[in-house]
Amino acid sequence: MQTVNKSRRTETNRMQTRSPAPKRLLLSALIALAGSQSVLAAELQDVSFASLPGKKVEVQMQFDSAAPEPKAYMIETPPRLVLDLWDTSSDLEQKVLAVKSGDVDSLHFAEANGRTRVVANLNEVAGYNVRTDGNSLYLEIGGEMAAVEAPVAAQANQAPAAPAVNDQGTETQVKGIDFHRLEGDRGRITIDLGTEAAGLDIVEEGNNVVVNLSGVQLAGGQQRLDVQDFATPINFIDTMVDGNSSTVLIKPTSAPYDYMAYQSGSQLVLDFKSLTQEDREAQKDLFPYDGEKIDLNFQNVEIRTVLQIIAEVAEKNLVVSDNVQGDITLRLKNVPWDQALDIVLKTKGLDKREAGNVLLVGTVTEIAEREAVEMQSQQNEITVAPLVTDFIQIDYRKASDIKERLIEAKMISERGFAMADDETNTLMVRETVKQIEDIRETIKQFDVEVAQVMVQARLVTASDTAAKELGIRWGAGYKGDNFKVGGSPNADPTPYVDNPLLTKEEAEAVEDADAYKESIKVPSNLLVDLGIQNATSGIAFGFLDDSFLLSAELLAMQTDGKLEIVSQPKVITTNGKPAVIKAGQEIPTRTVDSDGKATVEWKEVVLKLDVVPQIIPGDKVLLELIITEDTVGEVYDELGNRLINKQELRTSIVVSDGETVVLGGVLQKQSSESVSKTPFLGDLPVVGNLFKSRTGSSEKRELLVFITPQMIRDSLRR
């Protein structure tokens, strides 16, 4: 045991008549110990303590006769020293003595059934020594452990283990500490101990994992290895040397983690991994204990004593049945108190029941019989108790709805009845007084003002259309002496131009002037007609001489269109109730059977909002939504029936109060392009454009859906 020598001083503090303020009620302040003695050998009359050098405390207990031999044992977690003084009573007015010196925080005294128990609440595990001198009993805490004959194995500090020595006679040293990042963001620490016989102890202290190595030296003394940048659950690895022992302190991150340690030969391996929420829930299902961890090391100790220690750690009041008897031997280290309690109960065939902070322990048969008696008593009360009639006013719900809920919950017995009047919204109940109280408490939970929610949807339909057309029409003609060349006779003629070689006066002098005119006409029909309909612009030009005619037209058209439709349905409903709003029309769909009989079926073409809102914590609203927008399409058969263009959205979302969210959208885009041309000639480079016309069009249509829920508050009502 290592001690720190402070300045020498001695303080004496005797038990006063006023009550000191202890840190908290500890292990055995209220312990009732079994067994009774007809004659008590000694009575505890006075207690005092003195602070000694070396962080030691000496407690002196004064009796009216020879001091008894104590039975002492140490509890490591939490650190406590317990002394049982048999055949002894206590005459102390106060049960707690605040020490606040050395490793001792306070002393607690309890006496029952011929036994006095002294519990020393320690700051850390320390050695102790007990001796008697006449009517005085001296307890020294903080020194070397003295041998005390006790029925329980004492947990005393042991001397440091001797250093491990190799074949050459030198002390063993750690050969290396390595860190590796494994797959899945796991961190591995490998410690080469240098020998398989190295003593080690791995414990968790706070949020740190401490590896204590006995008899092993660390080269380099105190060092720190920073591994934060590897994104594993480990931040630092600290190494420290204390005499012949060494310590490796592993500092994990603040996030939840789990670790596994194993030794293979001279290598100690520690694997750390992060725990997700799913991992923690799975661990909780597999290991449902979460109480404060304790260490218990007992041999042939009364089971009632063990139960008292566990109850004190759990800070619960304890009631133990008289049938709970016998001794128990167990050794538990770093075990949650609730798991330790289950182990003790199952080992001895016991069971427990909890009511608030009171823990009742008894045999399995005893507790089962007690519950059967209570159940029978409750049943008798229902069967025998007189019935009374009560009228309950319902404020926010329909009385018939509340009645159905009570019957569904089986709160109306066979002897009683319930009647609802919706006109006065009153519920008449005939039941026992206790049952009517339960019914009223239940109705209070359901008969409350229900919140209302306004749900507003906005459907924006935007369309963008564009069309372009480009065409050409041209024709040419030639008149020779013996032949004519022109366009197809089926094509539209170009504007005719008469081009006589003579003037009008000269033509009149000729006997056959008309024949002369005809002889000089140039063929004028079109060679190429790739024009467009409804042209919005064009260019025409021509060329003419005595025997040749050329006429051409370049035609073009471009149209652009934009359309935006905004639909905004909104509806108000109570929390959890469905609401529907729709607007539109119905169109007929005609069918004819084999006998020629016609039938008409009307189908809806509507804009509809179907919603079920549910208010959840955090001023959020859960929405079950169906939004439909239908339009009338084109005729598809000879009976005049039309298609119905449907757009529908079904979803479930969570939205904050007053927040607008985009649920989704539909984008439709259609484009087309066509080319008309004269075979072969239209494929010629450059010149081929004189034998082509082009037409192109594009259409884009987009639907966006927005939703906004808003709780109806007093400000909105006003």
Side-chain angles (χ1 to χ4, degrees), residues 261-327:
Y262 62 92
Q263 182 177 353
S264 177
S266 62
Q267 285 194 335
L268 175 64
V269 179
L270 296 97
D271 285 345
F272 288 75
K273 69 174 183 177
S274 300
L275 291 179
T276 63
Q277 182 65 28
E278 293 76 11
D279 294 336
R280 294 197 297 272
E281 292 177 357
Q283 282 190 349
K284 188 175 182 180
D285 293 338
L286 296 175
F287 191 78
Y289 304 105
D290 57 356
E292 179 184 350
K293 294 184 178 181
I294 59 175
D295 293 346
L296 298 175
N297 187 0
F298 298 114
Q299 182 177 358
N300 296 329
V301 175
E302 286 187 355
I303 190 170
R304 301 170 69 92
T305 301
V306 177
L307 293 175
Q308 292 162 359
I309 294 174
I310 295 176
E312 191 63 33
V313 173
E315 297 183 354
K316 289 183 177 292
N317 297 312
L318 178 66
V319 178
V320 182
S321 169
D322 294 338
N323 295 326
V324 178
Q325 300 291 340
D327 297 337

Side-chain angles (χ1 to χ4, degrees), residues 119-139:
V119 179
N121 182 29
L122 308 179
N123 298 322
E124 61 183 14
V125 177
Y128 66 92
N129 188 22
V130 182
R131 61 184 176 86
T132 59
D133 184 7
N135 294 353
S136 299
L137 186 149
Y138 296 91
L139 171 62

